[in-house]
Amino acid sequence: MSETEEIIRIAARGDGVTASGRHISGGVPGDTVGEDGTLTAGPHHADPPCRHFPACGGCQLQHVDEEALRQFVTDRVVGAAKAQDLAVGEVLGTQLSPPRSRRRATLHALKTAQGAVLGFRESGSHRIVNMQECHILVPELFALVEPLRKLIGRYGGRQAVDVELTLVDQGVDCTLKGIEADGLAATEALLDFARENSLARLSVDRGFGPETSWEPEPLTVGLGDIAVPFPHGSFLQPTVDGERALVADALDFLDGATTVADLFSGLGTFAFALAGPRKVLAVEAARDAHLACKAAANGRQIPVHTLHRDLFRNPLQADEASRFGALVLDPPRAGAREQVVQIAASEATRVAYISCNPVSWSRDARVLVDAGFRLEKLRPVGQFRWSTHVELTSYFTR
């Protein structure tokens, strides 16, 4: 081995990797590392903007400049395709969300003798980093950190409190799980907290699901120009710009199709964007999300037909999939193996597949390609800025 080696890429978990396969924590392409492990920064090594890096588990790649970060996201997606020997017709430009754009997050808090600590956990640890600044959360969410710290310092118990925050049309939706706020005084304090911080909704989960304490008006989230009811815990794309990029690709990929099945449709992110010139079937297993999508579609008389169905246990069958001009899938991280097998056996010819896990996506893509599909387009997407979590859009035809 030479006296020094150059870091040539970033591994899936964020370590720098040399040509010989050495994994170097904090390494960035262009850095060099000596035999003793001493790292010398190269042209793509950046100064982390946040004081909490690298302890905070919210970010893994703040030491990487924009060019190298974009390349990391690209390599993760293209590498997953190569691992399954998938030929890609066109790799589209990588989409990166900007700083301070994350509109949903789960923070953790713990009451202490001095008050409370609140923030993300350290990577691989239960220890909470006491957040004083954050370069990924939208300002509306970060503004609640100090008020929440004071509230939990007063009413927190021995166990950690999970704080779920989501920015919706009316403001911030906040759910506290594990807080010991019993009695009239505590109830009044929670209501004062919600009112003083102009929350859209405040809910408390004492182990039996969220119970709403404050909601001046029903919550909605804008999907395109459609205001869709927002049930507790509903999935929402993490950034607005990321959602727009995913939707734009789905519209481009499925241009000209007159009937579309939106599988794992959630609240209807893609269904409402595609509807109008097209008739859309939105299929979702989560009952609250299904009902919210149905209410929005019926209320605006939009041509979105909703179906409550678990596509893992009961996927759309081959003959059902064959009835649509195109299909769009946006499954959970586990992928959509059962559903993809049925699509492969169908007469479907156009599939837009959005994924939050390049590994499960690549396995599903292999099934489609083996059935005669071609992977026409592939776009890497980095909505979770400075994170190793990577997403993508893809388009298959046959």
Side-chain angles (χ1 to χ4, degrees):
M1 184 177 66
S2 61
E3 292 185 0
T4 62
E5 286 188 282
E6 183 175 336
I7 304 293
I8 60 171
R9 65 181 179 88
I10 301 174
R13 295 186 178 181
D15 290 342
V17 184
T18 67
S20 66
R22 292 176 69 188
H23 282 241
I24 307 298
S25 178
V28 174
D31 292 354
T32 56
V33 59
E35 291 185 6
D36 62 353
T38 301
L39 191 68
T40 302
H44 297 296
H45 209 109
D47 293 328
C50 181
R51 77 182 81 174
H52 300 305
F53 184 83
C56 177
C59 297
Q60 296 83 48
L61 298 171
Q62 282 196 7
H63 61 299
V64 177
D65 75 0
E66 193 78 2
E67 181 182 344
L69 181 61
R70 187 177 300 275
Q71 192 62 51
F72 167 76
V73 175
T74 304
D75 289 346
R76 283 288 313 281
V77 173
V78 174
K82 288 181 178 178
Q84 291 290 342
D85 197 26
L86 300 172
V88 184
E90 180 183 5
V91 178
L92 304 174
T94 297
Q95 165 72 23
L96 279 184
S97 291
R100 295 184 172 92
S101 61
R102 184 93 63 82
R103 60 175 169 175
R104 63 175 175 86
T106 298
L107 305 179
H108 309 282
L110 187 64
K111 184 176 181 178
T112 67
Q114 293 74 37
V117 294
L118 184 147
F120 292 108
R121 287 197 173 102
E122 290 186 11
S123 180
S125 170
H126 290 290
R127 187 179 295 113
I128 298 167
V129 175
N130 198 24
M131 183 184 287
Q132 305 299 322
E133 63 178 306
C134 186
H135 294 257
I136 57 174
L137 297 181
V138 294
E140 293 91 335
L141 299 191
F142 181 72
L144 287 169
V145 168
E146 188 56 34
L148 280 164
R149 195 157 27 225
K150 292 178 181 178
L151 180 74
I152 293 166
R154 187 175 177 186
Y155 292 105
R158 294 183 178 181
Q159 302 299 317
V161 177
D162 293 337
V163 182
E164 296 178 4
L165 301 172
T166 305
L167 183 63
V168 296
D169 294 342
Q170 292 74 20
V172 178
D173 179 23
C174 175
T175 298
L176 304 175
K177 185 175 182 179
I179 193 168
E180 295 181 3
D182 298 320
L184 180 60
T187 299
E188 291 178 343
L190 287 174
L191 293 176
D192 289 342
F193 170 79
R195 187 182 302 108
E196 291 166 4
N197 290 283
S198 302
L199 294 185
R201 179 169 64 194
L202 176 64
S203 307
V204 177
D205 186 344
R206 294 180 172 85
F208 304 99
E211 297 178 2
T212 301
S213 300
W214 169 269
E215 188 177 8
E217 59 180 297
L219 264 60
T220 60
V221 60
L223 299 178
D225 61 350
I226 308 301
V228 180
F230 189 74
H232 287 106
S234 294
F235 175 79
L236 191 64
Q237 293 294 339
T239 68
V240 172
D241 70 286
E243 179 183 282
R244 288 172 180 165
L246 302 183
V247 168
D249 276 355
L251 287 168
D252 177 52
F253 297 162
L254 305 186
D255 184 42
T258 57
T259 56
V260 175
D262 179 6
L263 309 179
F264 309 95
S265 58
L267 295 174
T269 300
F270 299 101
F272 289 119
L274 290 164
R278 309 166 189 83
K279 294 181 179 179
V280 179
L281 173 67
V283 188
E284 171 57 39
R287 183 172 179 80
D288 286 348
H290 156 73
L291 292 175
C293 180
K294 182 177 183 178
N298 291 346
R300 294 284 294 271
Q301 295 186 333
I302 298 168
V304 172
H305 177 70
T306 56
L307 178 62
H308 183 223
R309 182 163 169 175
D310 185 339
L311 294 172
F312 289 105
R313 297 181 178 181
N314 183 22
L316 215 64
Q317 297 300 297
D319 62 330
E320 296 174 296
S322 299
R323 300 171 190 168
F324 295 91
L327 303 149
V328 57
L329 297 85
D330 184 15
R333 287 187 59 80
R337 172 74 182 188
E338 296 83 359
Q339 184 58 76
V340 164
V341 168
Q342 293 299 321
I343 294 172
S346 76
E347 296 177 5
T349 59
R350 302 174 68 184
V351 175
Y353 191 147
I354 290 83
S355 173
C356 60
N357 184 350
V359 176
S360 62
W361 165 83
S362 67
R363 292 194 294 260
D364 290 346
R366 183 72 257 171
V367 174
L368 293 175
V369 170
D370 287 345
F373 281 91
R374 297 182 303 278
L375 176 51
E376 302 282 1
K377 296 181 180 181
L378 179 63
R379 186 189 303 277
V381 177
Q383 290 197 76
F384 291 86
R385 186 177 182 84
W386 294 312
S387 164
T388 55
H389 185 75
V390 173
E391 299 169 301
L392 62 91
T393 68
S394 59
Y395 179 46
F396 299 83
T397 67
R398 68 174 170 185

